[in-house]
């Protein structure tokens, strides 16, 4: 099976960052990170999902969190310097980021948004994130993901 490079992969190549593209079987009825982890046969704690939010002060921003976790909006607002924030509507995801649900990568969005990554990423030698298309993940060292996205670490998922 030939793997076509995604925009996220091309940006990693340009930055000379080491990564691997890992394909998996897509289930259109189950796009959650838990399904991805099962397909990759990796712990869910190592498979991170990308969430796009809108803050009352910052505008759009991105949170990258462990796949099985839920994001506490109060924590996200505080981490991003907002008083409040909300998840963007699914129908707006493509126009804002250039990505669709189940394939949203923190790398290579239409615009570079402030990015926040959960501190547990540093518990692993590598983590998985979406490569920007369904059925394809990027295996990357957390430090390299932080570098390319200029991400800030945040510490709490819920209070």
């Amino acid at each position: 099976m030939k793997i076509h490079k995604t925009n996220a992969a091309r940006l990693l190549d340009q930055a000379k960052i080491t990564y691997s593209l890992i394909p998996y079987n897509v289930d259109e009825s189950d796009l959650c990170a838990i399904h991805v982890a099962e397909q990759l046969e990796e712990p869910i704690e190592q498979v991170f999902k990308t969430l796009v939010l809108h803050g009352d002060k910052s505008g759009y921003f991105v949170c990258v969190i462990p796949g099985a976790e839920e994001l506490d909006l109060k924590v996200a607002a505080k981490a991003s310097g907002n008083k409040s924030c909300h998840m963007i509507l699914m129908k707006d995801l493509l126009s804002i980021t250039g990505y669709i649900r189940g394939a949203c990568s923190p790398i290579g969005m239409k615009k570079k948004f402030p990015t926040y990554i959960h501190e547990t990423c540093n518990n692993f030698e590598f983590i998985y994130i979406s490569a920007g298309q369904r059925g394809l993940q990027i295996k990357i060292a957390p430090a390299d993901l932080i570098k390319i996205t200029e991400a800030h670490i945040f510490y709490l998922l819920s209070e």
Side-chain angles (χ1 to χ4, degrees), residues 101-156:
R101 179 173 178 262
C104 189
S105 180
I107 303 167
M109 291 187 182
K110 283 183 173 181
K111 290 185 177 180
K112 192 165 187 104
F113 298 117
T115 301
Y116 302 86
I117 187 166
H118 192 258
E119 52 97 15
T120 58
C121 70
N122 289 316
N123 295 346
F124 305 102
E125 181 182 343
F126 59 85
I127 60 172
Y128 294 89
I129 58 166
S130 176
Q133 75 181 43
R134 290 178 181 164
L136 197 59
Q137 292 280 298
I138 291 173
K139 180 179 176 181
I140 189 170
D144 289 334
L145 179 61
I146 291 166
K147 178 182 173 183
I148 196 160
T149 60
E150 298 175 15
H152 305 275
I153 300 288
F154 74 102
Y155 296 93
L156 295 173

Side-chain angles (χ1 to χ4, degrees), residues 54-115:
H54 189 271
D56 63 335
K57 293 181 180 179
S58 69
Y60 298 114
F61 66 98
V62 175
C63 286
V64 182
I65 67 170
E69 299 296 332
E70 294 295 323
L71 181 64
D72 184 318
L73 293 177
K74 289 180 183 171
V75 171
K78 184 176 180 183
S80 61
N82 289 286
K83 286 193 177 195
S84 66
C85 65
H86 62 273
M87 296 283 294
I88 66 167
L89 298 174
M90 200 62 57
K91 68 178 182 66
D92 297 331
L93 186 63
L94 181 61
S95 64
I96 292 168
T97 67
Y99 291 122
I100 60 172
R101 179 173 178 262
C104 189
S105 180
I107 303 167
M109 291 187 182
K110 283 183 173 181
K111 290 185 177 180
K112 192 165 187 104
F113 298 117
T115 301

